[in-house]
């Protein structure tokens, strides 16, 4: 008698193991753009520096957007994270997970389809998330102009 194999784990873990879903087959969450606007506006209001939004649609299974910003001090970064959490809660997103908000160089907010990284400048340069996830990685390198001798 054939039975389906049951894989342990939550639906989110199963999706992460399965890999990214092609953008054309996945139903986009209509609130992503609304939440993204709330996040970027909050960061601008809190004087975050060098705010970057990276589109991960079809490239990653854990999120559709990644927001990266820089703060000057631990307290500023913790305040930015708290403000984002509060404003997203007011907009209807109740499950925002936060890591590192107790005073570190890097705070991560997981808002489901949007992941927010708040760094001090030195930590941001060290981890280089823009280099890791940026669009320039999707473009193949140019071929050499002529034969190499």
């Amino acid at each position: 008698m054939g039975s389906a194999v049951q894989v342990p784990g939550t639906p989110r873990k199963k999706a992460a193991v399965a890999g990214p879903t092609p953008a054309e087959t996945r139903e986009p969450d209509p609130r992503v753009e609304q939440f993204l606007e709330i996040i970027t506006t909050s960061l601008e209001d809190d004087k975050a520096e060098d705010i970057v939004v990276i589109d991960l649609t079809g490239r990653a299974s854990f999120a559709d957007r990644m927001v990266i910003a820089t703060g000057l001090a631990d307290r500023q970064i913790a305040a930015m994270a708290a403000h984002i959490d509060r404003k997203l809660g007011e907009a209807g997103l109740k499950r925002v997970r936060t890591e590192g908000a107790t005073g570190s160089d890097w705070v991560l907010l997981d808002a489901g389809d949007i992941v927010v990284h708040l760094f001090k400048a030195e930590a941001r340069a060290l981890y280089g998330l823009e280099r890791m996830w940026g669009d320039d990685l999707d473009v193949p390198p140019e071929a050499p102009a002529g034969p190499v001798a």
Side-chain angles (χ1 to χ4, degrees), residues 3 12 18 32 39 44 51 53 65 94 102 110 113 121 136:
S3 64
R12 187 177 180 123
V32 168
I39 291 167
E44 290 167 356
I51 302 167
V53 177
R65 303 285 188 287
K94 303 296 182 195
T102 57
D110 182 352
D113 288 331
D136 53 339

Side-chain angles (χ1 to χ4, degrees), residues 25-61:
T25 62
R26 202 170 107 189
E27 184 73 26
D29 186 345
R31 301 177 305 166
V32 168
E33 295 304 319
Q34 173 194 1
F35 294 148
L36 187 61
E37 179 67 26
I38 290 169
I39 291 167
T40 55
T41 301
S42 180
L43 290 171
E44 290 167 356
D45 292 346
D46 288 339
K47 308 295 187 229
E49 297 178 354
D50 196 19
I51 302 167
V52 175
V53 177
I54 300 173
D55 187 359
L56 299 176
T57 307
R59 297 172 55 199
S61 62

Side-chain angles (χ1 to χ4, degrees), residues 113-127:
D113 288 331
I114 304 172
V115 176
V116 182
H117 298 275
L118 305 174
F119 288 104
K120 282 176 118 174
E122 308 82 39
R124 185 171 180 169
L126 176 69
Y127 289 104

Side-chain angles (χ1 to χ4, degrees), residues 82-118:
H83 294 159
I84 290 170
D85 188 16
R86 180 180 50 80
K87 290 174 183 177
L88 288 175
E90 291 170 357
L93 184 62
K94 303 296 182 195
R95 292 186 42 137
V96 177
R97 290 183 279 289
T98 305
E99 295 289 330
T102 57
S104 76
D105 293 343
W106 180 5
V107 175
L108 171 86
L109 290 109
D110 182 352
D113 288 331
I114 304 172
V115 176
V116 182
H117 298 275
L118 305 174

